[in-house]
């Protein structure tokens, strides 16, 4: 097994640096031009903050929460404002969620921060024009992992509704963290064998009872696609309403970038899940 080639997207996608430059340019093009409340803390960590992007009008709106990728050790919520107009233009609040990064914290800490973030959003989003009864969660790569973990959370232990999340869209997610043990990024992630089972959502069925959209680029590696297909099948076997997308020609980075195009298959599926597709 070529662990690095199969499970390290930066090794698998040769022009990832060019794609990152394009992403940064797209983010810069909209930065400061959108209706947003930035750097809102939900916890005490340095990056435990959210950026809240709002649609026109002040009526309670459905909420899309997005967790960024970066293998839990890179990127930030500030890198993805260009994804938000897809949702705000359709009438939704879009929350870009931040979290602390490895190696400063552990993956256990990051998952706990994702839970804390969503609990905060449920309790406070009404102050920002969002409807706490219509929260949807998505994320790419490491953010897809956090989305899947959140879908499996029993929110009743936090004193919150079990269906806090009305629908989820894990995108090109890490559903089995075991391969991380065999690739170079683990020098920063610091995953150990005893952490794998509790942090791998591959066998953790969503509890929310709502729809699940699982997406992965059709040009991603065989192992990454297989991981996504297996997760979708697990959700389907658990009784979830599952939509599976594998857009042709898109790799680990371009599948995420396609969210910025509201007419792309992935963006349309996410909006449809929220009842907002045109």
């Amino acid at each position: 097994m070529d662990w690095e080639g199969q499970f390290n997207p930066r090794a698998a996608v040769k022009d990832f640096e060019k794609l990152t430059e394009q992403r940064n340019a797209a983010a810069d093009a909209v930065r400061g031009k959108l209706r947003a409340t930035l750097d809102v803390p939900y916890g005490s960590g340095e990056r435990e903050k959210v950026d809240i992007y709002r649609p026109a009008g002040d009526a309670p709106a459905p909420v899309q929460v997005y967790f960024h990728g970066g293998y839990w050790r890179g990127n930030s919520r500030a890198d993805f404002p260009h994804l938000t107009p897809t949702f705000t233009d359709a009438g939704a609040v879009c929350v870009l969620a931040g979290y602390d990064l490895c190696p400063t914290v552990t993956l256990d800490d990051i998952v706990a921060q994702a839970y804390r973030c969503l609990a905060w959003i449920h309790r406070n989003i009404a102050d920002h024009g969002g409807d706490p009864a219509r929260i949807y969660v998505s994320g790419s790569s490491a953010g897809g992992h956090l989305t899947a973990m959140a879908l499996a959370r029993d929110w009743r232990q936090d004193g919150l509704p079990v269906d806090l999340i009305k629908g989820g869209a894990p995108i090109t997610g890490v559903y089995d963290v075991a391969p991380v043990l065999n690739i170079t990024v683990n020098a920063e992630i610091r995953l150990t064998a005893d952490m794998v089972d509790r942090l791998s959502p591959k066998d953790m069925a969503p509890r929310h009872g709502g729809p699940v959209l699982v997406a992965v680029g059709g040009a991603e590696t065989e192992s990454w696609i297989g991981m996504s297909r297996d997760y979708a099948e697990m959700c389907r076997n658990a009784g979830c309403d599952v939509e599976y997308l594998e857009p042709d020609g898109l790799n680990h980075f371009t599948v995420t970038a396609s969210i910025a195009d509201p007419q792309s298959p992935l963006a349309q599926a996410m909006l449809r899940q929220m009842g907002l597709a045109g």
Side-chain angles (χ1 to χ4, degrees):
M1 165 72 79
D2 175 13
W3 294 101
E4 202 73 25
Q6 289 292 311
F7 290 101
N8 185 346
R10 292 188 180 187
V13 180
K14 294 181 179 179
D15 60 347
F16 83 91
E17 291 182 347
K18 179 181 178 181
L19 294 173
T20 300
E21 291 174 359
Q22 292 174 352
R23 182 203 69 193
N24 292 342
D28 288 342
V30 301
R31 204 181 310 280
K33 299 178 182 179
L34 305 174
R35 189 184 185 199
T37 304
L38 306 179
D39 301 322
V40 182
Y42 65 83
S44 59
E46 180 181 355
R47 289 173 174 248
E48 283 188 87
K49 297 175 182 177
V50 295
D51 294 340
I52 304 170
Y53 293 82
R54 297 180 60 174
D58 296 309
V63 181
Q64 180 67 236
V65 182
Y66 178 81
F67 289 96
H68 68 81
Y71 242 142
W72 311 288
R73 77 200 204 289
N75 297 329
S76 77
R77 67 191 188 281
D79 295 324
F80 296 93
H82 58 295
L83 303 186
T84 67
T86 289
F87 304 101
T88 57
D89 289 352
V93 169
C94 187
V95 181
L96 300 184
Y99 51 88
D100 290 323
L101 301 177
C102 301
T104 303
V105 297
T106 68
L107 185 50
D108 281 307
D109 295 327
I110 292 172
V111 170
Q113 288 182 356
Y115 296 157
R116 191 153 54 244
C117 178
L118 289 167
W120 183 93
I121 289 170
H122 183 268
R123 293 173 175 135
N124 294 277
I125 199 63
D127 295 335
H128 300 274
D131 183 353
R134 291 186 289 168
I135 294 173
Y136 297 80
V137 181
S138 61
S140 298
S141 195
H145 167 267
L146 297 177
T147 299
M149 293 296 289
L151 291 175
R153 175 86 169 160
D154 186 350
W155 293 99
R156 292 172 295 186
Q157 63 190 291
D158 303 294
L160 298 167
V162 67
D163 63 345
L164 179 151
I165 300 170
K166 294 302 188 291
I171 301 159
T172 191
V174 186
Y175 306 109
D176 182 2
V177 302
V180 174
L181 295 170
N182 302 300
I183 58 177
T184 54
V185 298
N186 201 38
E188 293 175 273
I189 298 169
R190 297 178 296 148
L191 187 75
T192 58
D194 65 296
M195 299 166 67
V196 168
D197 286 345
R198 69 174 178 267
L199 292 171
S200 292
K202 67 183 182 69
D203 297 316
M204 301 178 186
R207 293 176 181 264
H208 67 303
V212 179
L213 167 65
V214 181
V216 63
E220 299 204 53
T221 67
E222 179 181 354
S223 295
W224 209 287
I225 291 173
M227 184 166 52
S228 298
R229 289 176 177 172
D230 289 347
Y231 177 75
E233 186 64 17
M234 184 275 295
C235 292
R236 192 174 289 114
N237 290 339
C240 298
D241 177 10
V242 177
E243 180 176 1
Y244 178 79
L245 276 183
E246 196 176 295
D248 290 341
L250 297 187
N251 62 42
H252 191 80
F253 301 99
T254 55
V255 69
T256 298
S258 75
I259 299 171
D261 175 6
Q263 298 306 314
S264 71
L266 178 54
Q268 281 291 297
M270 295 175 76
L271 292 171
R272 189 164 55 247
Q273 186 182 87
M274 301 178 76
L276 297 175

